[in-house]
Amino acid sequence: MSPMLAVIAGDGIGPDVVREALGVLRAVEDRFHPGIQVEQLPYGAEHYLKTGETIPPMEMKRLGRDFDAILVGALGDPRVPGNEHARDILLGMRFQLDLYVNERPARLMDARLTPLKGKEPADLDLVIFRENTEGLYVSVGGRFKEGTPDEIAIAEELNTRKGVERIIRYAFEWAASNGKSSVTMADKANAIAAHHLWRTVFDDVGREYAGIERGTRYIDAMAMDLVRTPEAFQVIVTGNLFGDILSDLASVLVGGLGLAPSANRNPGVVTMYEPVHGSAPPLAGKDVANPMAAILTIAMMLADLDFAEASSAVESAVRAAIAEGIGTPDVGGRLGTRAVGEWIAERVRTS
Ligand SMILES: NC(=O)c1ccc[n+]([C@@H]2O[C@H](COP(=O)([O-])OP(=O)(O)OC[C@H]3O[C@@H](n4cnc5c(N)ncnc54)[C@H](O)[C@@H]3O)[C@@H](O)[C@H]2O)c1
């Protein structure tokens, strides 16, 4: 059976970078013939503003049932200031499909790309596992007496043992099966008592993985150490908000958001792939957005679908582009989105 890929290009630079990612996927088809069937879905700000519909519940069900992978560009548009369409579509997928693992690798491809002095690719090669369905993102709380001097805004942070345990276990399992020797957890247990649950579970689960060293950091120290000694980290596991922030920081250490791919997973359920970056509205449609993050998400998807050779070819083509100075301005290049995407696609076809 052909693998089925649903594509939601979304808003802002989403369509710009997804167009190039799909161009690379066509090159993969030409060379490796994986036979992936692509279906484009219209959801995003434009569709919402035209129809009032974010994503229909049946469509969410279909995404979970009929597809092997979902590729999302980015969601967020200044014409929808409340961001309700993005919440329904993006958080909707994460929560309703229970995609509890947000895997965000940060690997330095070339020493030129890091703002850190004296660091080499071997010093920056880590993966962040962010809990993706709980924490402060569950919308428990709200604003009361809005607009008055007595206004109150409350956001509850949800941490369940099940939720904490499954992301921590996933991180240890991944470390064990990828030859890693340490897992570090970031929390704020010194100030937020609920985070002791993370510490307890981290120790309980970690003890099952004898060959893997356990480390913990408070999130503030983690941010500092990630910049100071990135080579100390191989696998980082953390909650929803801290993972969101830490992965942006990690991406900058390896060249920026334009190079950061991610996958939202729950083993046995469809995986949703997306570049870490948002919709960057000021860059939209100007042929300046870096398509490499979206292209590297395609490499992650191909690896998961067991097209290892095709995945390596895509990643090698991105590495070759970086090595040869082919890139958009954010990575020091002079080319546009389209030219970079086409160069990488051609490399995949011919290398
Ligand atoms: N997963 C998602 O869809 C997602 C993630 C983050 C933000 N957002 C949304 O995106 C909108 C903009 O948010 P933001 O500005 O905070 O974050 P952003 O990621 O869109 O942009 C942050 C910075 O990175 C730059 N940047 C991002 N992607 C780039 C790329 N591919 N190439 C070159 N430069 C790039 C932008 O120009 C900007 O300077 C908001 O509506 C936000 O809610 C969506």
Side-chain angles (χ1 to χ4, degrees):
M1 284 261 285
S2 298
M4 297 289 295
L5 169 65
V7 177
I8 298 177
D11 308 329
I13 60 169
D16 302 350
V17 299
V18 162
R19 185 189 59 228
E20 301 314 316
L22 293 180
V24 170
L25 191 58
R26 278 194 297 278
V28 165
E29 283 296 342
D30 291 347
R31 179 152 169 225
F32 300 96
H33 318 293
I36 297 171
Q37 302 292 314
V38 177
E39 182 177 333
Q40 306 235 25
L41 303 175
Y43 307 110
E46 194 64 39
H47 181 81
Y48 175 58
L49 289 168
K50 253 195 235 147
T51 65
E53 174 182 75
T54 56
I55 182 165
M58 277 311 292
E59 196 72 334
M60 191 63 85
K61 277 213 180 73
R62 203 168 72 87
L63 283 173
R65 192 188 56 215
D66 296 349
F67 292 93
D68 301 285
I70 305 165
L71 172 66
V72 174
L75 290 154
D77 186 305
R79 294 171 300 168
V80 187
N83 227 15
E84 56 273 19
H85 72 300
R87 216 169 19 250
D88 273 13
I89 300 167
L90 202 60
L91 295 186
M93 274 189 266
R94 289 176 182 166
F95 291 168
Q96 290 173 44
L97 303 176
D98 201 22
L99 306 177
Y100 68 91
V101 179
N102 192 345
E103 178 180 339
R104 295 186 156 188
R107 299 196 176 97
L108 182 60
M109 291 188 182
D110 190 303
R112 275 184 299 117
L113 294 172
T114 183
L116 300 181
K117 205 163 46 178
K119 298 294 178 192
E120 299 293 328
D123 298 320
L124 273 150
D125 180 1
L126 58 92
V127 180
I128 295 174
F129 289 102
R130 163 192 178 194
E131 201 294 319
N132 215 19
T133 55
E134 301 192 343
L136 271 163
Y137 289 63
V138 293
S139 301
V140 176
R143 287 172 71 182
F144 308 99
K145 302 187 183 177
E146 209 172 318
T148 75
D150 295 325
E151 181 163 356
I152 303 165
I154 296 174
E156 296 284 352
E157 190 190 280
L158 181 81
N159 299 275
T160 68
R161 181 173 275 271
K162 175 185 159 190
V164 172
E165 184 171 338
R166 64 184 183 174
I167 186 67
I168 288 176
R169 188 172 294 287
Y170 193 95
F172 276 102
E173 273 298 322
W174 189 92
S177 50
N178 286 274
K180 303 295 178 188
S181 58
S182 77
V183 175
T184 308
M185 185 191 64
D187 61 36
K188 191 64 185 168
N190 53 341
I192 302 172
H195 288 190
H196 284 289
L197 172 65
W198 282 79
R199 296 230 156 188
T200 309
V201 174
F202 186 66
D203 280 340
D204 287 352
V205 173
R207 267 194 292 273
E208 296 173 27
Y209 296 83
I212 297 178
E213 200 182 309
R214 300 194 293 282
T216 54
R217 293 282 193 292
Y218 299 130
I219 185 64
D220 39 350
M222 177 82 237
M224 181 182 70
D225 283 346
L226 194 55
V227 173
R228 212 165 50 99
T229 52
E231 63 278 9
F233 305 104
Q234 301 175 10
V235 176
I236 295 170
V237 61
T238 189
N240 208 336
L241 178 66
F242 295 162
D244 195 358
I245 298 167
L246 220 47
S247 54
D248 268 28
L249 172 60
S251 83
V252 165
L253 303 183
V254 298
L257 280 173
L259 285 170
S262 78
N264 299 263
R265 328 175 168 281
N266 178 347
V269 177
V270 63
T271 300
M272 189 263 278
Y273 301 87
E274 51 172 349
V276 171
H277 63 72
S279 58
L283 308 187
K286 296 191 177 141
D287 198 37
V288 287
N290 189 343
M292 288 175 172
I295 292 169
L296 289 168
T297 63
I298 291 286
M300 283 179 94
M301 177 191 81
L302 289 166
D304 290 345
L305 294 174
D306 281 337
F307 301 116
E309 204 186 343
S311 171
S312 306
V314 173
E315 200 182 315
S316 301
V318 174
R319 282 179 186 274
I322 298 279
E324 294 187 28
I326 302 294
T328 42
D330 58 301
V331 286
R334 292 190 183 155
L335 298 181
T337 312
R338 228 176 246 281
V340 171
E342 284 168 5
W343 193 96
I344 295 169
E346 192 51 24
R347 185 78 176 206
V348 167
R349 247 186 218 104
T350 56
S351 63

